């Protein structure tokens, strides 16, 4: 049902996009030509903007978005060679390689038209034009362009966004009361929110719930683990890139900011963004403007930012590892999630929720937890918080021999292995202990812990996920 609902939303979004007026930029130095085009195209539903020179055409293209361009090849400075128009075609394709460009020439020079198409023009119109042909060419090129854009959006959503809906938010413990009050108060706003708390406390669930409470909930939340992004692809992932921007850029790519336009962008592990990239992120938050890597065109985006970290950002600022001005932009409102050991009242409900989910997934006939198993869970420290509880119940669902989960199915004894000798522990258990100690020494900073362990940041994230840390 959730997948069906998501497909319906995407289909509806595509339908809405197709119903919006086509924005067309006309470049011609003759006022009577512009007026004739306006009389022809406006009744057909085109929203027109006109300029008289190639320079003004480029300026308009850099500041606004269009569905297509209709440009003359000859201007006042050179009325016969078409060189100004050809150069304009080349510059347009440098700014946006996918934008359809239809060229007009009064000279009927087929060689000129061929050269324009070689430079990237989509088609050509000969002056004086036939109205039916001009309308047919414009419609075909605009429809093709919009179809490609829709396909690109769908590909990006399928690649980035989760198929499942936001999970249920379970919070009945007294220590969660302030969290719920803050979420109810700021969720409907567009305020930027910083969510803090230990690893595995459920910061992403809070972000998803805030998004569902907002006026942007009809759009899908876009999430990205900024700490896990390699520095070399950071800008490409967040801001997108154009074809040819670097060696592996074989096609244009939509970045997370552009994908989240009109919606919410969740930046997880924000403390681990390299200091060199923080300035670029700050600029986007201040101006609301992005540029794809390899492009000089500036695009405006309307994005609400929700970020999360397990680190103390104020200490990071004092140590010079995080920009204070970026922190001010991120934490208009700060919501701190307590660790699971401080909200033990939620353990029974969370355990039941996870057990039901995994019993369904693995087709196990499970009726619940034995009292001894629940008691052990209530007494356990849960260093990995809700994420560790989730993984524990998944294991229990697979290991249970009867219809109820027993204490031995939980495997909690093997998780309390800090006091065991190395001879009694498996290789994986030793690795989990070392990673936990490294994170503790680094005050939760994944980059510093990874450096101490001799791992890349991405490799450490994969191991943390594996061990429920």
């Amino acid at each position: 049902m959730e997948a069906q609902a998501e497909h319906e939303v995407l289909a509806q979004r595509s339908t809405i996009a197709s119903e919006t007026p086509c924005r067309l930029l006309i470049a011609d130095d003759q006022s009577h030509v512009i007026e004739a085009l306006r009389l022809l195209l406006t009744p057909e539903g085109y929203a027109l903007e006109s300029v008289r020179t190639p320079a003004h055409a480029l300026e308009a293209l850099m500041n606004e978005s269009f569905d297509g361009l209709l440009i003359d090849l000859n201007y006042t400075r050179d009325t016969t060679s078409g060189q100004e128009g050809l150069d304009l075609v080349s510059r347009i394709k440098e700014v946006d390689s996918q934008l359809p460009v239809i060229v007009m020439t009064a000279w009927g020079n087929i060689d000129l038209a061929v050269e324009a198409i070689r430079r990237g023009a989509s088609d050509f119109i000969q002056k004086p034009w036939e109205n039916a042909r001009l309308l047919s060419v414009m419609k075909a090129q605009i429809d093709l362009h919009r179809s490609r854009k829709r396909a690109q959006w769908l590909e990006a959503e399928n690649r980035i966004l989760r198929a499942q809906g936001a999970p249920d938010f379970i919070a009945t413990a007294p220590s969660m009361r302030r969290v719920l009050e803050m979420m109810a108060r700021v969720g409907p706003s567009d305020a930027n929110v910083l969510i803090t708390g230990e690893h595995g406390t459920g910061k992403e669930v809070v972000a998803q719930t805030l998004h569902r409470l907002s006026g942007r909930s009809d759009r899908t939340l876009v999430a990205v683990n900024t700490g896990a992004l390699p520095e070399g692809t950071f800008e490409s992932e967040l801001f997108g890139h154009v074809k040819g921007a670097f060696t592996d850029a074989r096609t244009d790519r939509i970045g997370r900011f552009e994908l989240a336009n009109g919606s919410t962008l969740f930046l997880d592990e924000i403390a681990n963004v390299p200091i060199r990239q923080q300035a670029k992120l700050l600029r986007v938050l201040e101006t609301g403007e992005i540029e794809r890597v390899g492009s000089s065109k500036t695009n405006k985006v309307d994005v609400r930012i929700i970020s999360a970290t397990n680190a103390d950002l104020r200490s990071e600022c004092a140590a010079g590892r995080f920009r204070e001005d970026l922190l001010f932009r991120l934490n208009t409102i700060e919501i701190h999630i307590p660790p699971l050991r401080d909200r033990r009242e939620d353990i029974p409900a969370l355990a039941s929720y996870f057990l039901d989910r995994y019993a369904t997934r693995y087709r196990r006939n499970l009726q619940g937890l034995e009292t001894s198993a629940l008691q052990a869970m209530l007494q356990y420290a849960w260093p990995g918080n809700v994420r560790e509880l989730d993984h524990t119940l998944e294991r229990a669902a697979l290991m249970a021999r009867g219809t109820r989960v027993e204490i031995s199915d939980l495997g909690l004894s093997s998780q309390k292995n800090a006091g065991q000798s190395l001879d009694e522990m498996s290789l994986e258990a030793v690795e989990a202990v070392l990673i936990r100690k490294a994170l503790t020494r680094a005050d939760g900073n994944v980059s510093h812990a990874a450096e101490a362990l001799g791992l890349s940041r991405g490799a450490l994230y994969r191991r943390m996920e594996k061990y429920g840390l």
Side-chain angles (χ1 to χ4, degrees):
M1 291 296 291
E2 290 174 344
Q4 180 181 353
E6 183 175 356
H7 286 309
E8 290 175 356
V9 170
L10 295 177
Q12 182 182 29
R13 189 181 308 165
S14 297
T15 301
I16 292 172
S18 66
E19 292 174 352
T20 56
C22 293
R23 299 200 70 237
L24 188 64
L25 178 63
I26 299 174
D28 198 294
D29 61 342
Q30 299 182 46
S31 58
H32 70 276
V33 171
I34 292 176
E35 183 59 26
L37 290 169
R38 190 178 303 279
L39 291 172
L40 174 63
L41 295 171
T42 300
E44 299 295 325
Y46 291 93
L48 306 182
E49 182 167 333
S50 59
V51 293
R52 299 292 187 89
T53 67
H56 286 152
L58 288 172
E59 182 180 355
L61 188 60
M62 298 295 285
N63 295 314
E64 299 180 58
S65 295
F66 298 95
D67 293 297
L69 287 88
L70 184 59
I71 68 170
D72 192 18
L73 287 180
N74 296 298
Y75 295 84
T76 303
R77 198 174 67 190
D78 183 353
T79 59
T80 58
S81 73
Q83 191 59 48
E84 279 188 283
L86 293 175
D87 291 343
L88 178 57
V89 172
S90 299
R91 291 294 307 279
I92 291 170
K93 303 311 286 188
E94 289 175 4
V95 174
D96 189 338
S97 61
Q98 295 184 335
L99 198 61
V101 180
I102 293 90
V103 298
M104 300 182 292
T105 175
W107 300 92
N109 189 327
I110 191 65
D111 293 334
L112 197 59
V114 169
E115 176 62 18
I117 290 176
R118 189 189 69 80
R119 295 194 182 200
S122 304
D123 209 331
F124 71 96
I125 297 292
Q126 184 176 340
K127 295 180 181 178
W129 61 79
E130 297 178 6
N131 287 349
R133 169 167 162 74
L134 190 148
L135 291 174
S136 174
V137 168
M138 292 302 307
K139 185 178 187 307
Q141 293 299 330
I142 296 295
D143 286 350
L144 178 61
H145 176 58
R146 287 193 157 191
S147 176
R148 286 173 175 168
K149 285 181 67 175
R150 283 195 296 271
Q152 189 179 21
W153 274 89
L154 288 171
E155 187 276 332
E157 287 186 313
N158 288 333
R159 173 173 51 84
I160 295 173
L161 305 179
R162 298 185 173 186
Q164 296 180 345
D168 293 332
F169 187 70
I170 299 171
T172 58
S175 60
M176 291 293 289
R177 193 167 299 142
R178 175 168 172 75
V179 174
L180 293 174
E181 291 174 354
M182 292 287 287
M183 291 171 63
R185 195 177 309 162
V186 306
S189 73
D190 278 341
N192 290 343
V193 179
L194 174 65
I195 307 170
T196 59
E198 295 179 6
H199 278 296
T201 49
K203 296 185 286 292
E204 184 170 357
V205 178
V206 171
Q208 291 171 327
T209 306
L210 287 170
H211 174 67
R212 286 195 290 174
L213 291 171
S214 75
R216 300 167 181 258
S217 59
D218 59 325
R219 297 290 307 275
T220 312
L221 174 79
V222 179
V224 55
N225 187 336
T226 55
L229 293 179
E231 190 168 354
T233 62
F234 182 89
E235 289 182 73
S236 175
E237 289 287 341
L238 289 188
F239 312 134
H241 65 246
V242 297
K243 181 180 179 181
F246 47 87
T247 303
D248 292 330
R250 296 182 177 88
T251 61
D252 287 6
R253 181 172 182 177
I254 295 174
R256 309 298 176 97
F257 269 93
E258 200 171 347
L259 188 62
N261 191 23
S263 185
T264 305
L265 179 61
F266 176 49
L267 301 175
D268 200 6
E269 301 293 353
I270 191 69
N272 292 316
V273 173
I275 193 73
R276 289 185 295 275
Q277 305 293 357
Q278 291 176 23
K280 297 169 184 175
L281 183 58
L282 175 64
R283 178 187 171 277
V284 175
L285 298 185
E286 287 179 335
T287 64
E289 297 177 344
I290 62 167
E291 291 178 2
R292 292 187 183 183
V293 177
S295 172
S296 56
K297 181 180 180 181
T298 299
N299 294 315
K300 276 277 189 182
V301 290
D302 171 25
V303 177
R304 183 192 191 182
I305 300 296
I306 298 178
S307 52
T309 182
N310 68 301
D312 183 347
L313 287 185
R314 290 169 183 82
S315 297
E316 293 293 297
C317 290
R321 293 188 291 265
F322 200 84
R323 295 179 62 113
E324 192 172 28
D325 46 4
L326 178 56
L327 175 59
F328 292 152
R329 283 283 174 181
L330 294 172
N331 74 332
T332 304
I333 300 294
E334 182 174 338
I335 297 177
H336 179 74
I337 308 175
L340 187 56
R341 61 184 174 273
D342 291 341
R343 48 180 292 210
R344 294 182 185 275
E345 298 89 342
D346 289 334
I347 290 177
L350 286 166
S352 177
Y353 171 79
F354 291 135
L355 186 61
D356 288 346
R357 184 170 72 182
Y358 291 120
T360 301
R361 178 180 298 179
Y362 298 123
R363 298 181 176 86
R364 299 299 309 276
N365 180 23
L366 297 174
Q367 305 302 318
L369 295 128
E370 292 288 355
T371 303
S372 59
L374 182 58
Q375 190 62 36
M377 294 171 69
L378 289 169
Q379 293 174 354
Y380 184 61
W382 298 110
N385 293 295
V386 179
R387 185 184 297 140
E388 185 181 6
L389 177 65
D390 182 355
H391 291 183
T392 298
L393 268 299
E394 182 176 15
R395 179 187 187 281
L398 291 168
M399 298 300 294
R401 288 157 291 187
T403 59
R404 298 183 71 82
V405 171
E406 300 178 1
I407 189 170
S408 59
D409 301 325
L410 299 173
L412 292 180
S413 59
S414 65
Q415 294 176 35
K416 292 195 216 175
N417 49 32
Q420 290 180 274
S421 69
L422 292 178
D423 292 340
E424 299 172 340
M425 296 165 61
S426 68
L427 180 61
E428 289 188 348
V430 172
E431 187 175 51
V433 170
L434 291 175
I435 290 173
R436 186 177 286 120
K437 287 185 175 181
L439 288 168
T440 301
R441 286 195 299 269
D443 294 325
N445 188 298
V446 178
S447 294
H448 296 165
E451 184 178 352
L453 292 167
L455 298 171
S456 69
R457 194 167 51 195
L460 180 53
Y461 270 113
R462 288 191 293 273
R463 285 168 171 79
M464 289 167 61
E465 183 69 23
K466 176 181 178 181
Y467 301 127
L469 301 179

